[in-house]
């Protein structure tokens, strides 16, 4: 009886600890979200790494994105993607083509406009390790998707403990693929052109681009 009691007490203690752990993680993520939502616009320069050892894949590139509300302008893998609040325009200079399509409604897709707020829904949270990165304290939160059908196994979100800005996102897929985004530069409330998120179709037609509408 005494052994059963001790097991029950231990289980209850672990349950309380895990609940407090989850609440602490959620509180930090709420701080990050509220800070992001308080900016008029955000510019992020980042490093992107896609790795799958079994498949022999290891791709690295640099990219950047300017975001204002839901609108964004991203430069990534030699292409430019623009979302004006209605349509997504993917511009590929190498092929001289532009693809115009509606915004994806897939909730599991992390678009540039959601890259700093995607964690708000659909995950459970766990307080993880604290790392010292060049004098900066980076607190990691482990996110596990609630949807068991998703291809994502887990996400580690590294947050600068002082600025409350996201520093790193490490996504691990069920197929062993690991995607890492590391923020090199994070700027806010920059002066933006009024036409930054406006697509000029005539400009690209004049330059000989092929326009694809999906």
């Amino acid at each position: 009886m005494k052994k059963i009691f001790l097991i029950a007490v231990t289980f209850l203690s672990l349950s309380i600890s895990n609940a407090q752990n989850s609440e602490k993680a959620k509180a930090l993520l709420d701080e990050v979200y509220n800070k992001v939502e308080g900016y008029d616009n955000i510019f992020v320069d980042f490093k992107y790494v896609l790795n799958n050892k079994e498949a022999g894949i290891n791709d690295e590139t640099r990219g950047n994105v300017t975001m204002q509300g839901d609108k964004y302008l991203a430069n990534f893998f030699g292409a430019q993607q623009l979302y004006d609040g209605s349509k997504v325009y993917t511009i590929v200079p190498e092929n001289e083509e532009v693809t115009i399509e509606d915004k994806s409604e897939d909730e599991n897709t992390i678009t540039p406009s959601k890259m700093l707020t995607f964690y708000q829904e659909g995950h459970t949270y766990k307080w993880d390790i604290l790392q010292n990165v060049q004098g900066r304290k980076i607190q990691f939160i482990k996110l596990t998707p609630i949807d068991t059908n998703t291809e994502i196994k887990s996400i580690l979100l590294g947050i600068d403990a002082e600025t409350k800005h996201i520093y790193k996102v490490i996504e691990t897929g069920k197929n062993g693929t690991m995607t890492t985004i590391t923020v090199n530069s994070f700027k806010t409330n920059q002066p933006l052109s009024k036409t930054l998120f406006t697509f000029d179709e005539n400009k690209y037609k004049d330059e000989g681009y092929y326009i694809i509408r999906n």
Side-chain angles (χ1 to χ4, degrees):
M1 180 65 72
K2 184 178 180 181
K3 186 175 180 181
I4 294 174
F5 177 74
L6 287 173
I7 291 172
V9 169
T10 301
F11 179 77
L12 181 61
S13 298
L14 285 172
S15 297
I16 293 172
S17 176
N18 287 337
Q20 291 174 336
N21 184 303
S22 177
E23 288 175 6
K24 186 165 65 168
K26 182 66 167 60
L28 177 57
L29 292 177
D30 285 343
E31 281 190 80
V32 175
Y33 179 78
N34 290 334
K35 194 148 192 183
V36 167
E37 289 295 291
Y39 297 127
D40 178 64
N41 61 70
I42 298 171
F43 170 83
V44 178
D45 179 270
F46 59 88
K47 178 183 177 183
Y48 174 95
V49 178
L50 179 69
N51 181 272
N52 187 314
K53 291 183 179 179
E54 290 187 6
I57 298 172
N58 187 40
D59 293 331
E60 293 187 18
T61 190
R62 288 279 294 268
N64 62 70
V65 57
T66 301
M67 297 168 279
Q68 186 173 48
D70 287 335
K71 299 178 183 179
Y72 64 80
L73 177 65
N75 295 284
F76 192 55
F77 275 126
Q80 187 175 75
Q81 191 172 84
L82 167 70
Y83 177 58
D84 63 4
S86 176
K87 298 284 186 180
V88 177
Y89 306 85
T90 304
I91 304 153
V92 185
E94 184 178 354
N95 300 336
E96 293 190 337
E97 66 179 30
V98 178
T99 302
I100 305 174
E101 54 194 335
D102 291 329
K103 181 182 178 183
S104 173
E105 296 301 325
D106 185 357
E107 293 183 358
N108 293 319
T109 301
I110 300 178
T111 62
S113 58
K114 294 197 302 183
M115 69 179 292
L116 298 178
T117 59
F118 72 90
Y119 50 82
Q120 274 297 103
E121 297 177 352
H123 304 88
T124 59
Y125 311 110
K126 181 181 178 182
W127 197 260
D128 210 271
I129 63 171
L130 177 68
Q131 284 188 344
N132 189 308
V133 180
Q134 297 178 340
R136 299 166 64 187
K137 292 183 178 180
I138 306 299
Q139 176 63 57
F140 282 87
I141 303 295
K142 185 176 182 180
L143 283 67
T144 303
I146 295 172
D147 182 4
T148 56
N149 294 320
T150 180
E151 295 301 314
I152 300 171
K153 181 180 178 181
S154 64
I155 299 172
L156 277 172
L157 199 60
I159 298 163
D160 187 310
E162 182 178 350
T163 65
K164 301 300 186 292
H165 291 162
I166 293 175
Y167 168 71
K168 183 171 286 189
V169 180
I170 305 172
E171 178 185 290
T172 302
K174 291 178 180 177
N175 64 353
T177 298
M178 183 175 289
T179 305
T180 304
I181 297 174
T182 305
V183 174
N184 299 314
S185 176
F186 190 104
K187 299 178 181 178
T188 62
N189 300 337
Q190 300 294 294
L192 302 180
S193 165
K194 292 181 179 180
T195 60
L196 184 64
F197 304 109
T198 301
F199 178 73
D200 186 350
E201 185 170 336
N202 290 328
K203 170 192 170 184
Y204 289 96
K205 282 183 176 178
D206 291 343
E207 293 179 2
Y209 275 63
Y210 182 58
I211 309 294
I212 303 168
R213 298 180 186 277
N214 289 339

